[in-house]
Structure formats: structure tokens, C-alpha cells
Amino acid sequence: MFSQDRRSGVTAATWPDRIARWEPAPLPALAASPRWPWYVVATTCIGAFLGQLDASIVQLALPTLERSFDARLGTVSWVAIGYQLAFAAALPIFARLADIAGRKILYILGFALFAIGSAGCAMAPNLETLIACRLLLGISGALAGANSIVILVRSAGPERRATAMGVFAAAQAIGVCLGPVLGGLLLDLFDWRAVFWVGVPIAAVGAVAAFLVVPKSGPAGEGGLDGWGALLLIPALAALLLAITQADRWGLGSAAFLGCMVAVPVLLAAFVWRERRARHPLIKLELLATPAFAGGMVATASAYAVLYGMFFLMSFALVRGFGASPLEAGLRLVIIPLALALVAPFSGRVGTRFGERRTLVVAMTTAAAAILVLASAVAPGGFDLAVRLAALAVFGGSLGLFIAPNNNMTLKAAPEHLTGSAGGLLNLMRMIGCGLGIAFASAVLSWRLGTSGGATTVGVDEAVLLSAVAGSLLVPAAFALIAAAAALLHRRDEARAAEPAAGAQQ
């Protein structure tokens, strides 16, 4: 049968049907409820919450891991970057697989693998094993991330989309909020292994909720996977992040660094060439031909680079520079996501009142200004604690005004029949942004510390470290300005078109 029907496409329509038969239907009592769409939204929020909780806990744990494993800054940063890399590399593959074979099974599997990967991290005997388990977590995150926004958008419907996206962003913010506090408490009471055990029960709850609530999707029955595209994309992303994080260790003139810098554009060019000619590409490149959508992608990546670059740098500033305990550091860092979570639910209303595009530009320009104030406050002899905390609050609130409206406008810029691909690409750029933010922050901090005798924060004089962090904060400030510039590509008519729908929801 396979050989007879290979050209006609029957093969690609047969194995998805086999997978789809395993998809369980939602619990009838829940599916019949008028609140069922919100139950689905709540289920996707579990994954959003878990992913951000894990990410923020890991950021705060990096100084502890650096000391525990006696590792260089560029190496220990891969505990965070490894997750982002695996997620970004696997996401297009799983997004395409979901289009072919259905979403529910993959979504449940993502939660299950996350529980296994979290347990593996907690039991890791060395740094290499920990990074390997973080790669597994990234793959599990891609399984869920390839489906979460699409499941949310399709279940909520056009009339609830903006509100649902706001709730989704708030769930992410709550996860980032709880992460520093819970992570700091666990690091104070136990050790770094405790922060990874947290994800196991939450992932288990998510798997059960997805089984009971998420609707069956069934196969789309359209084509297959582009394996060659995956083989080109994965090493391209890996080479890029390796070049950024290891530049200080390798040297700019080393064969390894130069090899990566040559490999990245060659592999990416080959990937684009392949995707344009593939019958069933991993990424619908025609989406990027729309300036509003392309700008939204750049803005998304830049916004998350800002957030995670800030978390990375401020974790080391607080723990190493100011001598705060992990819990004290967590309580201060929580200001960022707390402000984000408080502002995010109102971001759609603010955008409707003042114009979405204008709101996005002002939000990220304000974020850049807050970072510059924070850099002055962190530097030796800078402003006092009250100014630092105020700058963190303004920064978080600015991101809260930006993320959900930008996501919503970006998805609206995509053709309706490409909503699934657009949602997957949105998640892809979010994870690439996270990885780039951490990678650039780590590289610049390592470089600045390297000029003072080493690429580790352990044992570095507090004033030297704080001066290095203050200079490195220019990295997230630059990303914030890039996000503001990219937001200008959103069309004005999209903002106006959104006003009636937004008003109806209020």
C-alpha cells in the first residue's frame, strides 16, 4: 500500500488517521458546558504557566549552579539556553506534525515528557547530564508550544480571541512571578535540585486536564514532513547560539568561532532555499512576506530577549553583586513579572483607546528608558534601592502593555487559513528571542568580566561585577528599541479594525 500510493498522498493521509484514532474525546459533561471554551483556555494556561515558572526558576538558579559545578558563565548559561535551542529547533517539526496528524495527542505527550525531563534534571549527577535533560525539556515544550496557541485561538473563537490571549499572557506572567519567589525559597531551604522537582506534578495535572478538556482535532491529511528542512534548521540555530555564548572562551579569531559564523548564514540560506521548494515546508515562508506579520515576529523575539536578558543579568547582580540570598533576590525580581501580570489584562483596552501600534512603540521605548535607569542604579555609587525597584516595576509594566497586543496584532496579520502556522511561528520566535537574550547577555557579561581576570562571577569583586552588569544591561535596552522599531510595521488599519471587537468584549 505504501509503495502504490506514495505519489498520490494516500500514505500521508493514512498514518495520520492511525494517530488520530488514539485521540480521546473531551469529557462530555465539560464539552456540553457553555463555559467549555474557557476550560480549554484554562488548560492551555497551565502549559503557559509551567513554561514560564520553569524558565524563571532556572534563571535564578544559575548563580547557584555556577558555584555548585564550578563552571564558566558561558557554560552554565546553557542550562537555560539548551531548553530554548531544543524548543526552537523542534517546534517547526511538531507544528507540521500537528497539522498533519492532529494536536491533542501531541499536546498531552508534551506534558508527559515535561514531567519526565524535570525529574531527570532533578536527579542529574553532573552539569552535562543536566544540560541534556534540559534539551529533553525543550523538546517537550515544543510539543506543547506547537499546539497551545492554535488550540486556544480555535476554541475561543474570534469574539473571545483578544481576551483569551490576554489571559494566556497573564498566566505566563504569573508563572514568571511565582518562579523567583518559589525558586528562591527552595534554593534557601534545599538545593538546586528542588527547583526542578516543582514541574513534575504541574505537568501531570496539565496532561490530565488536556485529556479531559481539549477537543479532538483529527488529521488535516495534508502532505508530510520536510526532514531536510529540519536537518538544516537545527544546526543553524545551534551554531548561532554557540558562537554567541562561547566567543569569549574560543576567541573571535578561533577556528571554532569563525566556523560557526560561516555555518550560520550558509545553513539558514540553504534552509530558506529548501523551504521555498519543499512540497510541505516546515515553515510557511509566505507569512513573512507580509510586513505587519514579519515585524510582529521580530518584535516578539526582541521583547522576550529583553525579558530573559534582564532576568539573567539581574540574577547575578543581586546574588553576586549585592550579596542577596536567593529568596531576597527572588522577591526583588518578582517585581518585573508582577507588574507585567497586573498590566497585561488591560493592555487591549489601552491599545483600543490610544491605538495599538502607538501603544506598542511607547511601551518598548519606556522599557528601554527603564533599563538605562536601572543600569545607572546598579553601577557602583548609583541610585538607591527605591530607584532600582521602581525601574524594575516600570520595565515590567511596559512589557505587560506590549506582549499580548503584539501577539494579537501579529496573528491578525496572518491569513486565516495559515493561523496554525502563524501560531507556531509566533512561539518559535518567542523561544529564539529567549535564547538570544540569554546568549547575548551571557556573552557580554563574560567579556566584561574577562577584561577583569575571568569569565566567571564566583569570587569576583562586587564592584567589578556590578559595573560589568551595568554595562551589559545595554544589551536588553538595545533589544527593546528593536522591538519598538519593529512594531511600527503593524498597519494602522489593523488597530482600527480591532476596536469594534475589543469594545464588544468590554
Side-chain angles (χ1 to χ4, degrees):
M1 175 179 176
F2 289 105
S3 59
Q4 292 176 354
D5 297 330
R6 189 177 299 274
R7 292 185 179 179
S8 66
V10 175
T11 299
T14 299
W15 66 265
D17 286 335
R18 293 174 180 172
I19 295 177
R21 283 200 294 267
W22 290 90
E23 279 199 337
L27 194 68
L30 295 177
S33 170
R35 296 183 178 180
W36 173 74
W38 292 112
Y39 296 152
V40 179
V41 171
T43 300
T44 63
C45 286
I46 295 175
F49 167 82
L50 176 60
Q52 298 305 317
L53 175 72
D54 174 83
S56 57
I57 282 182
V58 167
Q59 291 289 316
L60 189 60
L62 290 179
T64 300
L65 293 172
E66 182 191 33
R67 184 184 295 276
S68 297
F69 291 110
D70 191 24
R72 293 172 63 91
L73 188 61
T75 302
V76 78
S77 67
W78 273 85
V79 175
I81 294 173
Y83 176 90
Q84 322 292 351
L85 171 63
F87 190 112
L91 183 64
I93 301 171
F94 292 137
R96 183 65 191 142
L97 183 60
D99 284 339
I100 300 169
R103 303 188 178 279
K104 186 168 184 176
I105 287 291
L106 296 182
Y107 195 57
I108 295 172
L109 182 60
F111 278 115
L113 285 182
F114 200 98
I116 295 171
S118 295
C121 288
M123 296 185 289
N126 50 54
L127 185 58
E128 292 76 15
T129 303
L130 177 57
I131 293 174
C133 290
R134 291 291 295 171
L135 291 173
L136 176 61
L137 277 180
I139 293 172
S140 68
L143 277 165
N147 297 285
S148 59
I149 290 182
V150 180
I151 291 172
L152 178 150
V153 167
R154 292 182 177 176
S155 298
E159 69 280 3
R160 304 183 188 90
R161 176 184 294 179
T163 302
M165 292 291 290
V167 172
F168 188 86
Q172 290 179 316
I174 292 170
V176 184
C177 268
L178 187 58
V181 178
L182 181 58
L185 181 62
L186 292 174
L187 289 169
D188 269 359
L189 294 179
F190 304 104
D191 63 7
W192 63 266
R193 299 180 186 277
V195 303
F196 293 106
W197 284 116
V198 172
V200 177
I202 300 174
V205 171
V208 173
F211 182 89
L212 296 175
V213 171
V214 173
K216 294 180 67 172
S217 57
E222 44 173 287
L225 290 168
D226 179 22
W228 284 108
L231 290 176
L232 292 168
L233 179 62
I234 293 172
L237 294 175
L240 174 62
L241 294 176
L242 276 171
I244 295 171
T245 58
Q246 301 301 314
D248 175 70
R249 181 178 181 182
W250 291 344
L252 298 182
S254 66
F257 178 81
L258 294 176
C260 285
M261 294 307 295
V262 170
V264 170
V266 170
L267 290 170
L268 287 178
F271 174 76
V272 171
W273 179 87
R274 169 66 188 180
E275 293 301 281
R276 285 178 174 173
R277 288 158 178 78
R279 183 179 178 186
H280 305 292
L282 290 176
I283 296 176
K284 304 285 189 181
L285 294 179
E286 61 264 35
L287 282 167
L288 301 179
T290 304
F293 185 85
M297 291 291 101
V298 173
T300 296
S302 300
Y304 280 93
V306 173
L307 178 59
Y308 280 84
M310 277 283 288
F311 261 115
F312 180 89
L313 293 170
M314 290 307 299
S315 294
F316 284 95
L318 293 171
V319 174
R320 294 279 190 267
F322 292 108
S325 69
L327 180 57
E328 291 172 334
L331 289 173
R332 294 179 187 179
L333 283 177
V334 78
I335 294 174
I336 296 175
L338 182 60
L340 195 159
L342 291 174
V343 172
F346 304 100
S347 58
R349 191 173 302 175
V350 174
T352 300
R353 175 67 177 83
F354 297 102
E356 287 182 305
R357 191 175 74 161
R358 181 183 301 172
T359 299
L360 296 182
V361 174
V362 171
M364 292 313 291
T365 303
T366 303
I371 294 171
L372 295 178
V373 171
L374 185 63
S376 298
V378 166
F383 300 113
D384 58 15
L385 177 62
V387 175
R388 293 198 298 270
L389 298 182
L392 291 173
V394 172
F395 170 76
S398 299
L399 280 182
L401 280 178
F402 184 88
I403 291 177
N406 179 69
N407 289 349
N408 190 41
M409 290 185 72
T410 302
L411 288 177
K412 286 190 296 185
E416 189 66 30
H417 69 285
L418 293 178
T419 299
S421 297
L425 193 54
L426 189 68
N427 260 330
L428 174 63
M429 295 305 293
R430 176 172 64 86
M431 298 310 295
I432 289 176
C434 293
L436 287 176
I438 298 170
F440 273 107
S442 171
V444 174
L445 183 58
S446 294
W447 171 72
R448 293 185 65 86
L449 290 174
T451 63
S452 302
T456 176
T457 66
V458 178
V460 175
D461 179 78
E462 287 84 355
V464 172
L465 176 62
L466 290 174
S467 178
V469 170
S472 301
L473 283 170
L474 294 177
V475 171
F479 274 117
L481 294 178
I482 292 172
L488 289 172
L489 294 176
H490 285 302
R491 293 196 298 269
R492 293 181 185 275
D493 57 342
E494 287 179 354
R496 294 193 185 105
E499 291 182 11
Q505 290 166 20
Q506 296 171 20

